[in-house]
Amino acid sequence: MTRSRLRRAQGAVIGSAVGDALGAPFEFGPEGAFSARFPPRSGPHEDEMRGGGGWDPGEATDDTQMAVLVAESLLEHGGLEPADLFGRFQRWAAAEPKDIGLQTEDVLTGGLPWDQAAPIHFQVTGRAAGNGSLMRAATSAVYFAAHGTEGTMDAARRIAALTHGDRAAWEGTAVQHELIRRALGGGDPVSAVPEVLALVHPGHRERYATVLAPDWHPDPATEFNGAVWPCLGSAVWALRTTSSYEDAVRAAVDLGGDTDTVAAVTGALAGAVYGVDAIPERWTAPLHVPLPGFGGRVLRLPELTALAGRLAAQKAQEAQEAQEAQEAQGT
Ligand SMILES: [Mg+2]
């Protein structure tokens, strides 16, 4: 694994967590609230990671907490064990985290087994296209990147399906994973959008094509960005219209609405593109991720950096082993 690839993997994981923590105090607020409080031209402001709305400065929310649970399950099992991951989500949800998506909470606390909870919830409510599976994508995207496009998008759909019964959520999460994968390899995710759209389930392609189009803007979105389509569209828009990690995440928070999640999704992409060195120290220093239900553990920058490294290394190692096995068979 090259150093730049590792820095991008760390950028995706830490970049998402930073976006989450930066956006959290502005959740459900109006457009432009971040820049009104911290005008870009008079900055940088040391207290941008300000906390508020029940969050301590630098405290990451459910988005990152769930992403860490995904990471630890993948690493412990050397791959996706859906029952184990669902159990970790349930344990976390039962410990009353400060925030949890309504739909995610229903699915995790309803007492149904891992392979029935989300489908039955969707069957009953008809509503499961929130951005809750998109928000936690950074860690699994890094982990599965070495498995190529198909392995990445397949894993993304299966992880999304644990909490979201609507295929729309699976497809958006699969797109996010593949865009991050392209960025980790040094590619430009924005220019990869048409290729990735071609891999979306045909029944869902048009709606994603709309929100990922170059001329789409978050403003005319008729849906609240807590839904999966405008959330992904907003993140790609923020990346497309800026030229640094910092500006992309700022643009995402300034959209208002579901700011922590839109900024977490944006931060994963922008972190993968620009690498961890592009993330300001004034944002990473106070960053911390509490893990309710897991012994009072709190992950800070060193733990997140190590976690990203393990996710990236494990995949690279597995892919290499698979290739070697294939070559051994061929001889
Ligand atoms: Mg959140």
Side-chain angles (χ1 to χ4, degrees), residues 179 182 187-196 236 239-240:
L179 293 179
R182 304 269 176 135
D188 170 20
V190 169
S191 61
V193 162
E195 270 178 56
V196 178
V236 172
L239 185 66
R240 179 189 284 123

Side-chain angles (χ1 to χ4, degrees), residues 117-204:
I120 288 177
H121 173 269
F122 181 46
Q123 221 170 31
V124 172
T125 65
R127 293 173 68 85
N131 57 18
S133 63
L134 193 60
M135 71 185 193
R136 58 177 193 239
T139 50
S140 41
V142 168
Y143 185 87
F144 285 103
H147 279 201
T149 297
E150 210 180 302
T152 290
M153 293 181 80
D154 176 59
R157 290 179 176 109
R158 292 169 64 202
I159 298 172
L162 288 177
T163 49
H164 290 64
D166 190 335
R167 184 159 199 141
W170 313 354
E171 295 304 305
T173 304
V175 169
Q176 167 78 342
H177 276 69
E178 177 61 10
L179 293 179
I180 293 172
R181 197 187 72 80
R182 304 269 176 135
L184 294 174
D188 170 20
V190 169
S191 61
V193 162
E195 270 178 56
V196 178
L197 274 173
L199 306 168
V200 170
H201 186 280
H204 294 270

Side-chain angles (χ1 to χ4, degrees), residues 36-71:
R37 175 78 177 73
F38 302 109
R41 293 196 194 286
S42 63
H45 308 262
E46 283 309 312
D47 59 340
E48 286 162 351
M49 199 61 107
R50 62 190 287 248
W55 303 104
D56 294 330
E59 183 177 3
T61 78
D62 51 337
D63 307 44
T64 308
Q65 294 170 13
M66 294 188 86
V68 169
L69 298 180
V70 171

Side-chain angles (χ1 to χ4, degrees), residues 290-307:
L291 277 190
F294 291 79
R297 282 166 58 215
V298 179
L299 286 79
R300 294 177 185 278
L301 187 62
E303 290 83 22
L304 291 170
T305 304
L307 190 67

Side-chain angles (χ1 to χ4, degrees), residues 20 61-63 99 260-261:
D20 176 17
T61 78
D62 51 337
D63 307 44
D99 199 11
D260 59 329
T261 294

